[in-house]
Amino acid sequence: MKAHTNCIYTHDTNIQKLQHTRTKYHTHQYHTMIPTQNRRILTFTAVYPCESVSITTLIDSLIKIAGEILSFKSKHFSTNKRSVKETLRHVLNLLIVFQEIRVGLIPADRSFPRSAILSLSELHVIFQKLMILLEECTREGGKLYMLTNSDQISAHFRVLTRSISTCLDTFPVGSIELPEEVKELIYLLIRQTRKYEARPDRDDKRALDSVYWIFNLFENRINPNRDEVVRVLDHVGVRKWRDCVKEIGFLGEEITVEGKDKNEIELLSSLMGFICYCRCVILGGIDEDEDKGEEEEDDLVIRGLNVDDLRCPISLEIMKDPVVLETGHTYDRSSIAKWFSAGNITCPKTGKNLESTVLVGNVSVKQVIQSYFKKEIDQKSMKKKTSIPESLAAEEAGKLISDFLAGELINGGPKEMVKALVEIRILTKTTSFNRSRLVEAGVVESLMKLLRPGDPTIQENAMAAILNLSKDIAGKVRIGGSGGGLEMIVEVLNEGARRESRQYAAAAIFYLSSLGDYSRSIGEIPDSIPGLLRIVKGCDYGDSPIRNALIAIRSLLIQHSDNHWRVLAAGAVSVLLDLVRSGEIGDGVKADSIAVLAKIAEYPDGMISVLRRGGLKLAVKVLGSSEVSPVTKQHCVVLLLNLCVNGGSDVVGALAKDPSVMGSLYTALSNGECGGGRKASALIKMIHEFQERKTETGLERERFIHAW
């Protein structure tokens, strides 16, 4: 890493480099800025008052919108502060004029010149545009971006302010009874707004020059001067760690918007690198509990969620407005309404007659659906981001951040260490670039040491970071290659100070077990599989941790055959069957449990263990249930098929005796969800062949008896 910025450049060289950087980022002037697909910054859409609007209504609306504009006086503006101050002063004077006109409109039927109404209507449009401009200038998360567009913003203020002058020029002051001082105020406003020359503030220019200079330092992998960075942050009003989080979220949305050219994307990427650097390196305090709470709440709700749980049982589409009946079952409002309008007064799932058709909104399910769609949008946005940042400044800033955080883990005090862990945890959730840079900086070895018993917060954040790093091959190799790394994760799985730490350890085992050698090594650790089963059995865990443990067990089974007998020896079959029988689990847990049982049943000893504990009868029951998802039924079909393949005619015969089986299998075959149709077809064929053989055997016996 290069020295902290007491740069040895000459003054002339500094100026040349700054000019070069400004030219590069100013190649595109951003006349059309489109931050997200559902809004456009600085592109104004205003509604023109209808021609028949009454003067009283128009004036009342102007007074109201003027008050809303003046409420911005208390807000922080990241750019064009002088222009804002002047604009608010003009609006305040206009408010006085509107109020005097309103007083003069009593009685309400008093006539009013047509030209005055037209002038006031134009002012109404201008005020709407001013509102939009002020909202954009104070938008949370867009402060730094708006600073880079200060020239354009000042141009908008100039155009709108001069438009006020044009409107007042056509206002018939002499034809309306107003106090003389109010008429003088109108003439004063005309002169002031006509001469108005909005220019970017000098402070804006200095702050923007600093930003471009910092970009240049990043490109040369030099840490900028801390005081200079703080001055920029103070100028735009980014003072807290959480402010940086909002800026990063805003810029992340901007980068993913279609239609941006290369220069603008490069600018946005550089701004992203700058604000990430500020959050990780410059700002000391973290709103840790508040931020983590939101992050973990969404993750625990969505992670591992089976989307079929959100589908309406009638339409099979994800519900938009979920409502619950008196039976406790949830449907989409439009679908159940059509069901009732067709003359049905029963619950579609249970067939029970309903005493009431009152629909009650299912708020909890609706919140889950909203979280799911939000996560989907975030994931789509993430897919649009490349692993490598779109600008050299952002790429090198990422390396500086990684080196800094790696150093904090080694040399920082307890407070600095916790902050570094939180930052690493957040960065490793975003892009593979961040994860690879942190691995290269050597954070894995430090994180593994922090997994040892001690501070529960440190252990939890370190385990969460290890989980994120285990998603990429470089992280897997470094984690498994660190002496005793896998053993340490298994130790956290069993003895972690917090439930969250144990949950993250289970998820990390899933990712690490995707490498065959690691799967064998993890299985050989005595407490690994029993530890995962303890989470599965744990009554204090929610569905998400249990599913993490289940998919980790299934991955161990898939990746290495030696883990099969270890899973059996740990008593997994009894645990999983009891879990499926339990009515207190979600459909996702049930599906994952049956999937593991199906994998176990691929081997003869696993098949015997499942049969001895009533697995065949239970699988048939779940397959015929109307309360489980198609995915769960698919896993049931696979389990039954494996039991029949390994158990032979005895198992097929026992299955064929159940009259409900064929109907359930034909339903699975006709639906064909998730490829389950092929498995169902194979199982149906086995049952038919068994029945044909049985019939042929019976006929031969009858012929033998008859001949005898």
Side-chain angles (χ1 to χ4, degrees):
M1 187 186 304
K2 295 188 181 180
H4 204 279
T5 308
N6 290 323
C7 298
I8 54 176
Y9 299 133
T10 65
H11 180 68
D12 289 341
T13 305
N14 285 350
I15 293 175
Q16 290 172 0
K17 286 185 174 289
L18 177 58
Q19 288 174 341
H20 169 73
T21 307
R22 290 196 61 157
T23 301
K24 179 172 68 172
Y25 289 106
H26 272 176
T27 300
H28 181 61
Q29 294 298 320
Y30 313 113
H31 291 300
T32 304
M33 303 193 302
I34 311 173
T36 64
Q37 292 174 341
N38 58 0
R39 63 182 172 82
R40 296 170 68 91
I41 278 189
L42 305 183
T43 300
F44 307 115
T45 54
V47 179
Y48 198 89
C50 64
E51 293 183 3
S52 60
V53 65
S54 70
I55 182 61
T56 303
T57 300
L58 182 57
I59 287 294
D60 286 344
S61 182
L62 280 167
I63 290 173
K64 180 182 178 182
I65 195 171
E68 292 172 353
I69 290 173
L70 292 173
S71 68
F72 282 87
K73 185 177 181 180
S74 61
K75 297 186 178 182
H76 179 85
F77 286 81
S78 61
T79 181
N80 285 270
K81 296 179 178 64
R82 186 176 64 84
S83 297
V84 171
K85 184 178 179 181
E86 287 292 309
T87 299
L88 294 180
R89 184 168 61 83
H90 295 324
V91 172
L92 178 60
N93 288 334
L94 283 168
L95 177 60
I96 296 171
V97 174
F98 300 151
Q99 289 170 338
E100 288 293 338
I101 294 174
R102 184 66 181 85
V103 171
L105 290 175
I106 303 173
D109 59 353
R110 179 177 175 182
S111 62
F112 209 77
R114 178 65 181 167
S115 59
I117 295 177
L118 291 174
S119 177
L120 294 174
S121 296
E122 291 289 348
L123 281 173
H124 196 281
V125 173
I126 293 170
F127 273 26
Q128 291 179 62
K129 293 182 177 181
L130 274 175
M131 273 289 294
I132 296 171
L133 180 58
L134 294 171
E135 286 170 354
E136 296 297 344
C137 289
T138 55
R139 184 179 297 278
E140 283 194 347
K143 295 176 179 179
L144 195 61
Y145 189 38
M146 297 308 289
L147 175 65
T148 63
N149 290 277
S150 56
D151 288 351
Q152 186 184 356
I153 293 170
S154 63
H156 280 296
F157 274 116
R158 180 172 63 253
V159 170
L160 292 174
T161 302
R162 290 187 175 181
S163 297
I164 292 174
S165 173
T166 302
C167 291
L168 293 178
D169 269 337
T170 61
F171 187 78
V173 180
S175 303
I176 301 173
E177 292 185 12
L178 290 171
E180 287 300 320
E181 59 270 20
V182 175
K183 292 182 179 181
E184 288 297 325
L185 180 58
I186 294 174
Y187 293 134
L188 176 64
L189 278 167
I190 292 173
R191 292 193 299 271
Q192 290 178 339
T193 54
R194 181 183 297 155
K195 296 186 300 181
Y196 183 72
E197 286 288 344
R199 297 186 180 89
D201 291 356
R202 283 179 295 179
D203 290 342
D204 289 348
K205 185 178 181 302
R206 281 195 292 267
L208 194 55
D209 283 345
S210 293
V211 170
Y212 291 138
W213 176 241
I214 291 168
F215 289 172
N216 179 65
L217 295 176
F218 284 159
E219 290 174 357
N220 290 278
R221 208 172 179 189
I222 299 174
N223 282 294
N225 181 276
R226 185 185 187 88
D227 292 339
E228 186 172 10
V229 176
V230 170
R231 279 195 295 271
V232 172
L233 296 179
D234 285 341
H235 179 77
V236 298
V238 175
R239 298 184 177 91
K240 295 182 179 179
W241 185 86
R242 193 161 184 78
D243 293 335
C244 289
V245 174
K246 293 174 182 177
E247 295 286 315
I248 290 169
F250 177 89
L251 293 168
E253 290 179 3
E254 296 299 305
I255 291 174
T256 62
V257 173
E258 302 291 344
K260 291 187 180 295
D261 65 28
K262 180 180 178 181
N263 291 318
E264 189 171 2
I265 291 175
E266 185 176 354
L267 171 63
L268 290 166
S269 181
S270 297
L271 290 172
M272 176 81 84
F274 170 75
I275 204 68
C276 283
Y277 182 91
C278 294
R279 190 193 70 193
C280 296
V281 179
I282 302 299
L283 296 181
I286 291 183
D287 315 322
E288 182 180 351
D289 293 337
E290 183 180 4
D291 182 78
K292 180 185 166 185
E294 289 183 8
E295 172 190 332
E296 298 300 336
E297 184 178 355
D298 280 346
D299 279 356
L300 292 176
V301 169
I302 299 302
R303 185 157 23 127
L305 178 70
N306 188 346
V307 68
D308 290 316
D309 297 337
L310 308 179
R311 297 185 188 279
C312 173
I314 299 174
S315 67
L316 300 181
E317 299 291 334
I318 295 178
M319 293 179 283
K320 296 178 181 177
D321 186 6
V323 293
V324 64
L325 302 184
E326 62 183 35
T327 58
H329 293 289
T330 300
Y331 303 89
D332 199 22
R333 185 183 295 275
S334 61
S335 298
I336 195 65
K338 290 178 182 177
W339 173 268
F340 290 152
S341 64
N344 302 299
I345 53 171
T346 59
C347 173
K349 290 188 75 172
T350 64
K352 179 182 176 182
N353 288 324
L354 300 174
E355 295 180 4
S356 170
T357 57
V358 174
L359 304 177
V360 180
N362 194 327
V363 178
S364 59
V365 172
K366 191 169 186 176
Q367 289 175 343
V368 173
I369 291 172
Q370 290 171 343
S371 297
Y372 169 78
F373 279 118
K374 179 179 181 295
K375 197 77 172 179
E376 285 289 293
I377 292 170
D378 291 344
Q379 288 174 352
K380 287 179 181 177
S381 297
M382 192 64 66
K383 287 178 182 178
K384 292 182 181 180
K385 298 178 184 179
T386 58
S387 298
I388 301 175
E390 297 288 346
S391 73
L392 178 61
E395 182 176 351
E396 296 302 325
K399 295 176 182 177
L400 291 172
I401 292 169
S402 299
D403 291 342
F404 172 81
L405 294 175
E408 291 290 275
L409 291 184
I410 297 172
N411 303 316
K415 184 178 179 180
E416 291 76 18
M417 186 180 296
V418 170
K419 181 180 184 299
L421 283 170
V422 173
E423 296 293 358
I424 291 171
R425 178 176 179 174
I426 294 171
L427 288 172
T428 52
K429 283 190 69 173
T430 54
T431 65
S432 59
F433 170 79
N434 287 335
R435 291 192 286 270
S436 63
R437 292 288 80 78
L438 286 163
V439 169
E440 289 176 5
V443 300
V444 170
E445 290 75 12
S446 298
L447 290 171
M448 299 306 298
K449 293 177 182 177
L450 296 174
L451 294 181
R452 297 191 180 98
D455 188 325
T457 299
I458 289 178
Q459 185 186 60
E460 178 190 342
N461 283 296
M463 191 64 250
I466 288 293
L467 162 60
N468 294 333
L469 291 171
S470 68
K471 297 175 182 179
D472 293 337
I473 185 66
K476 289 182 175 71
V477 171
R478 191 67 70 92
I479 292 168
S482 59
L486 299 178
E487 289 80 359
M488 185 64 69
I489 292 172
V490 172
E491 183 178 333
V492 175
L493 172 71
N494 287 277
E495 301 176 12
R498 290 180 177 169
R499 181 177 57 189
E500 291 79 8
S501 300
R502 300 191 291 274
Q503 173 186 339
Y504 299 145
I509 288 174
F510 162 68
Y511 285 111
L512 292 167
S513 63
S514 64
L515 294 181
D517 290 344
Y518 286 1
S519 179
R520 177 183 55 78
S521 299
I522 292 169
E524 290 174 350
I525 301 172
D527 291 331
S528 59
I529 293 172
L532 292 169
L533 286 173
R534 269 191 289 274
I535 291 181
V536 173
K537 291 188 292 184
C539 58
D540 58 336
Y541 287 98
D543 280 8
S544 181
I546 293 175
R547 295 192 71 182
N548 283 340
L550 286 170
I551 61 175
I553 293 171
R554 188 163 182 251
S555 178
L556 290 171
L557 287 169
I558 291 172
Q559 296 297 330
H560 206 278
S561 58
D562 284 353
N563 288 325
H564 171 77
W565 68 265
R566 297 186 180 105
V567 171
L568 278 180
V573 173
S574 296
V575 172
L576 296 174
L577 290 174
D578 289 343
L579 191 61
V580 174
R581 292 187 183 101
S582 171
E584 301 176 356
I585 61 171
D587 186 71
V589 174
K590 187 172 292 185
D592 290 336
S593 300
I594 296 173
V596 175
L597 286 168
K599 194 66 186 172
I600 292 173
E602 288 182 359
Y603 296 83
D605 52 350
M607 173 271 299
I608 293 171
S609 182
V610 172
L611 290 176
R612 283 179 175 175
R613 292 166 176 80
L616 181 68
K617 186 176 180 180
L618 180 61
V620 172
K621 180 181 177 181
V622 174
L623 180 63
S625 173
S626 61
E627 299 182 0
V628 298
S629 69
V631 174
T632 303
K633 293 186 178 185
Q634 173 208 348
H635 291 311
C636 281
V637 171
V638 177
L639 172 58
L640 290 172
L641 182 61
N642 289 342
L643 291 173
C644 289
V645 168
N646 285 305
S649 59
D650 290 339
V651 178
V652 177
L655 191 61
K657 290 178 182 179
D658 193 315
S660 66
V661 169
M662 294 304 288
S664 299
L665 288 174
Y666 275 115
T667 300
L669 178 62
S670 61
N671 292 337
E673 293 99 347
C674 306
R678 292 191 299 273
K679 302 287 186 180
S681 179
L683 192 52
I684 290 170
K685 183 179 179 181
M686 290 181 71
I687 295 174
H688 278 317
E689 289 176 350
F690 172 82
Q691 291 172 333
E692 289 173 359
R693 287 196 302 271
K694 184 178 179 182
T695 302
E696 290 174 359
T697 302
L699 290 173
E700 288 178 2
R701 182 176 298 173
E702 287 181 8
R703 284 195 296 269
F704 176 76
I705 294 172
H706 180 72
W708 181 261

